[in-house]
């Protein structure tokens, strides 16, 4: 079984491959998302930086998944 979508590696690998094919191997990639469990965890597993965007309410799970950047 192959899973697609966040936080599974196949989704991130496909995007990273596409960006590097279009821009070059030295491309700097930042994944922006509003889910710690999907966006931040998936980016971390793929080895890329993440920017976590949220409103005023930050779930307790923030302490488990640490984004590279945090914006309220």
């Amino acid at each position: 079984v192959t899973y697609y979508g966040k936080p599974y590696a196949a989704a991130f690998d496909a995007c990273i491959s596409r960006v590097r094919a279009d821009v070059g191997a030295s491309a700097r990639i930042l994944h922006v998302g509003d889910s710690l469990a999907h966006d931040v965890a998936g980016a971390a597993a793929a080895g890329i930086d993440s920017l976590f965007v949220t409103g005023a309410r930050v779930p307790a799970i923030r302490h488990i998944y640490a984004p590279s950047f945090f914006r309220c």
Side-chain angles (χ1 to χ4, degrees):
V1 174
T2 301
Y3 293 98
Y4 289 95
K6 301 174 294 183
Y8 301 107
F12 287 90
D13 291 343
C15 292
I16 292 167
S17 295
R18 175 90 185 250
V19 168
R20 292 204 169 130
D22 290 346
V23 180
S26 63
R28 294 176 63 189
I29 300 171
L30 175 69
H31 181 79
V32 179
D34 62 355
S35 169
L36 290 168
H38 297 108
D39 297 305
V40 174
I48 59 174
D49 287 328
S50 61
L51 171 63
F52 178 53
V53 179
T54 184
R57 186 180 69 90
V58 179
I61 197 169
R62 177 176 175 220
H63 301 288
I64 297 171
Y65 302 110
S68 305
F69 305 95
F70 182 79
R71 173 78 174 133
C72 287

